[in-house]
Amino acid sequence: MRSGYTRLLDGLGLLAGIVFAVTAVATTYDVALRTWAGGGVRGMVEWVEYGLFAATFLAAPWLLRQNGHVQVDFLVTTLPVAAQRVVRCVADLIGLMVCALLLWYAVRVTWDAWSSGSIVLKSMVFPEWWIFAVVAVSMLLLVLEFARRLVVGDTAVADIKDF
């Protein structure tokens, strides 16, 4: 049985995929309107920008869980298995520390934007903290995922048990 954590990451991955698909269709539609009708959909560029931003950040923990991030591992794969595990553990520890630092910063910036009441004022109008909160949520989930990988001790998806 899958854990709630795994279902959350799977849901975020699915949501990101939907956003990317809708973005492709919406962009095509907007370009067609601009080409043949002389004008596009008001605010479409912003919707696409913010959608791609949010989808990218929210898909990152799911991608890490799937071991789907870009890796340059041609050197690591030449090492003995024990050394490969050490390198992956060090990489996961570095990832954890970087994401923890980014989480701290994102929470601070989100709080500042929320407490000051700043807003994004373009074609779309919304509280600015919404943007920063996406980064904070993503970094929190990445910290949890890197910690899980360190505890489990193996980054191969087939060998990882739910937690």
Side-chain angles (χ1 to χ4, degrees):
M1 185 169 152
R2 293 179 12 197
S3 68
Y5 171 76
T6 300
R7 287 192 307 272
L8 173 64
L9 294 189
D10 288 347
L12 290 174
L14 177 63
L15 177 63
I18 291 168
V19 168
F20 290 134
V22 168
T23 296
V25 171
T27 301
T28 303
Y29 177 70
D30 193 49
V31 168
L33 280 178
R34 288 174 192 270
T35 302
W36 294 305
V41 177
R42 184 177 182 268
M44 179 64 73
V45 172
E46 286 178 45
W47 279 101
V48 168
E49 287 174 355
Y50 291 122
L52 291 175
F53 174 84
T56 301
F57 272 95
L58 294 177
W62 172 79
L63 260 176
L64 182 60
R65 175 69 171 213
Q66 301 301 316
N67 226 14
H69 280 277
V70 174
Q71 299 178 42
V72 181
D73 61 356
F74 62 90
L75 178 63
V76 175
T77 56
T78 64
L79 298 173
V81 174
Q84 288 181 26
R85 286 192 177 123
V86 169
V87 169
R88 287 190 175 116
C89 183
V90 169
D92 286 342
L93 187 58
I94 291 169
L96 175 83
M97 292 186 304
V98 168
C99 289
L101 179 64
L102 290 172
L103 171 62
W104 173 80
Y105 186 73
V107 167
R108 199 174 113 208
V109 169
T110 302
W111 178 260
D112 289 347
W114 179 78
S115 61
S116 71
S118 59
I119 59 171
V120 172
L121 186 58
K122 293 180 169 180
S123 297
M124 299 167 49
V125 178
F126 58 91
E128 188 178 36
W129 68 266
W130 290 3
I131 298 169
F132 302 128
V134 169
V135 178
V137 168
S138 176
M139 290 305 121
L140 174 62
L141 292 171
L142 284 167
V143 164
L144 291 173
E145 185 57 24
F146 277 120
R148 187 196 62 73
R149 290 164 60 106
L150 285 165
V151 168
V152 170
D154 192 354
T155 58
V157 173
D159 297 335
I160 295 175
K161 295 183 172 68
D162 285 339
F163 94 12

